Amino acid sequence: FRKIEKNEVCLDAELSWLIGYFMGDGNLGKRKTIVKNKEYIHLRLRLHDETLETLDKAKSILEKKFNAKVKIRKDNRGSKGYTLQTFSRKAANFFKQLIGVGSKTYTLKMPRFIYKSGLNNITAFLAGLLDSDGYVTKDGKAVYSSASRNFASEVAVLSSLIGTGGGVVVDKHINGATVIRKSSNTKV
């Protein structure tokens, strides 16, 4: 207990996708448990989605990269979706260092290393964002939506840098960043 752990993980396309997906649909919060009248506080990583296939992909990556024990359950908040959950210290601490604990709705920032991570990792990261909070317009654009105008702008810049997109459209309280200007099909 209370020992410093040093863990390393190699950034590849799978982890880049997971980072993007977590930034869109993930949550890292504190959870209290009581064992023999002693209170413990630990981190709980959760991902929410209506698509089991996407959560299964995230589960596989968490198990492989962080040796995490992961469960997927029907969401009990009245939605049609599912919740992936893990208490893995390695995975939780990775995302804590990357993004922080608690609400990230308006505070998301582009991880600086993504810009220099190579085309495969950048496209995987963008794919993770699209799998979480993306959609395809009628004219074939792949758009990532976020409540954070600054983050949507950073996504648009990253998409522009790799030559696939760019630009932000504000619709009420949602900011849409064009990730792919024109898709050849509607599956992103």
Side-chain angles (χ1 to χ4, degrees):
F1 296 107
R2 306 279 184 222
K3 291 182 182 177
I4 295 175
E5 290 181 334
K6 184 176 180 180
N7 295 298
E8 292 183 12
V9 63
C10 180
L11 184 67
D12 61 7
E14 285 184 323
L15 187 57
S16 297
W17 177 87
L18 184 64
I19 293 167
Y21 185 64
F22 179 85
M23 291 183 81
D25 277 342
N27 173 273
L28 185 62
K30 293 181 180 178
R31 177 85 174 179
K32 292 180 187 178
T33 56
I34 298 174
V35 178
K36 296 183 181 181
N37 293 328
K38 178 131 174 101
E39 187 177 278
Y40 296 92
I41 298 174
H42 48 262
L43 296 175
R44 173 180 64 180
L45 185 149
R46 294 187 300 172
L47 296 164
H48 308 283
D49 207 312
E50 291 184 5
T51 310
L52 271 174
E53 179 184 348
T54 309
L55 289 176
D56 283 335
K57 179 177 179 176
K59 179 181 187 236
S60 174
I61 297 168
L62 285 164
E63 289 171 341
K64 186 163 62 170
K65 297 288 184 186
F66 300 102
N67 198 26
K69 292 180 183 174
V70 181
K71 292 184 181 179
I72 298 174
R73 294 191 174 120
K74 184 86 174 121
D75 195 331
N76 60 3
R77 299 175 301 167
S79 76
K80 298 176 189 174
Y82 298 88
T83 298
L84 175 153
Q85 174 176 286
T86 183
F87 293 97
S88 164
R89 277 195 334 261
K90 289 180 183 179
N93 284 329
F94 175 80
F95 284 100
K96 177 183 174 185
Q97 295 301 313
L98 189 64
I99 297 162
V101 177
S103 177
K104 58 184 176 38
T105 304
Y106 301 104
T107 60
L108 274 177
K109 291 185 174 44
M110 183 69 65
R112 294 291 145 218
F113 64 85
I114 290 292
Y115 289 106
K116 298 178 182 180
S117 66
L119 187 58
N120 285 342
N121 290 332
I122 291 171
T123 55
F125 172 79
L126 292 170
L129 287 174
L130 289 172
D131 283 343
S132 66
D133 287 326
Y135 62 94
V136 177
T137 64
K138 290 178 184 175
D139 62 345
K141 291 180 186 174
V143 178
Y144 169 75
S145 57
S146 174
S148 169
R149 168 98 188 198
N150 289 339
F151 187 64
S153 294
E154 290 179 307
V155 171
V157 166
L158 184 64
S159 300
S160 179
L161 286 173
I162 64 168
T164 62
V168 175
V169 175
V170 179
D171 181 21
K172 294 184 183 177
H173 300 289
I174 302 297
N175 304 284
T178 301
V179 175
I180 301 174
R181 281 186 214 99
K182 184 77 171 169
S183 176
S184 59
N185 61 32
T186 57
K187 190 173 184 176
V188 176

